[in-house]
Amino acid sequence: MSKLSKTFLTDQVLDFVADSITAQGYVLLEDFLPTDLALELSIDAETLSKTKFKTAGIGRNEDKQLNNDIRTDSTLWLTKKMHPQSTYITLMEYLKQGVNQRLFLGLSDFECHFSHYRRGDFYRRHLDAFKGRSNRLLSTICYLNKNWKSNQGGELVLYANPQDLEPLSKVSPDFNRCVIFLSEVFPHEVLTSSSDRYSIAGWYSLNNNMPVYVDY
Ligand code: OGA
Ligand code: MN
């Protein structure tokens, strides 16, 4: 482990993440990343959003479709080519190791994209994964908005169950706050944002090559 990841992902933080996921299926972390890194990522997101982000789709691969009734944000997948994106992915891979050591989840891949919600953008209620149809297990969202005010909207709303109307939790997209939750368990939505809102949404998946168990 590098010096950076050791000071950022202490045993105490990793225990807290693992214990919270076990107890309630999700965890909220304040001041998650080293501040410099969060700042660099926010600048990167803002700069690239001007030219490189694409209107987000829903579904994957051949099922992919644009659906502006469901989501209106724009996204860009992070790559390992350069800092600060590479540093973020590396740290999230250390987090994966720490969680795997504690919970034996067998998380394997990590993929993530920047999201940009402009004024008026939203993402209606959805699940990031459907049982048996995806290998996404844990969703991670890290927010990059300095001085976010409550009247700017854009909250992430988590629901405990698909049929629930009452939210389980409402999370304002404050700078360097991170939310991690079980992808198949929590329906969630992003309320209409009244200002530019930046985040990194990521997913830990199970290995695609894992054996598939069938009932006889
Ligand atoms: C997503 C998502 C939430 C957020 O991209 O799937 O739910 O708060 N994002 O940005
Ligand atoms: Mn989502």
Side-chain angles (χ1 to χ4, degrees), residues 32-92:
F32 175 59
L33 298 169
T35 313
D36 288 355
L37 177 62
L39 278 172
E40 288 171 301
L41 288 164
S42 70
I43 294 165
D44 206 33
E46 203 176 323
T47 309
L48 294 170
S49 71
K50 296 192 170 76
T51 52
K52 302 277 186 226
F53 283 34
K54 298 246 170 16
T55 310
I58 53 168
R60 291 172 78 80
N61 306 325
E62 66 274 14
D63 289 339
K64 206 170 179 72
Q65 47 178 298
L66 287 178
N67 192 332
N68 296 336
D69 296 340
I70 295 179
R71 72 187 294 188
T72 59
D73 60 318
S74 302
T75 62
L76 177 73
W77 292 97
L78 273 69
T79 70
K80 276 190 156 179
K81 276 186 221 137
M82 265 188 316
H83 179 78
Q85 297 180 21
S86 53
T87 309
Y88 182 75
I89 295 173
T90 303
L91 289 183
M92 295 306 273

Side-chain angles (χ1 to χ4, degrees), residues 123 126-128 136 139 141 156 181 186 188-190 201 203:
Y123 193 164
H126 64 281
L127 271 173
D128 285 346
R136 284 179 173 178
S139 301
I141 303 163
L156 168 72
F181 58 90
F186 298 97
H188 56 281
E189 66 182 319
V190 178
W203 297 273

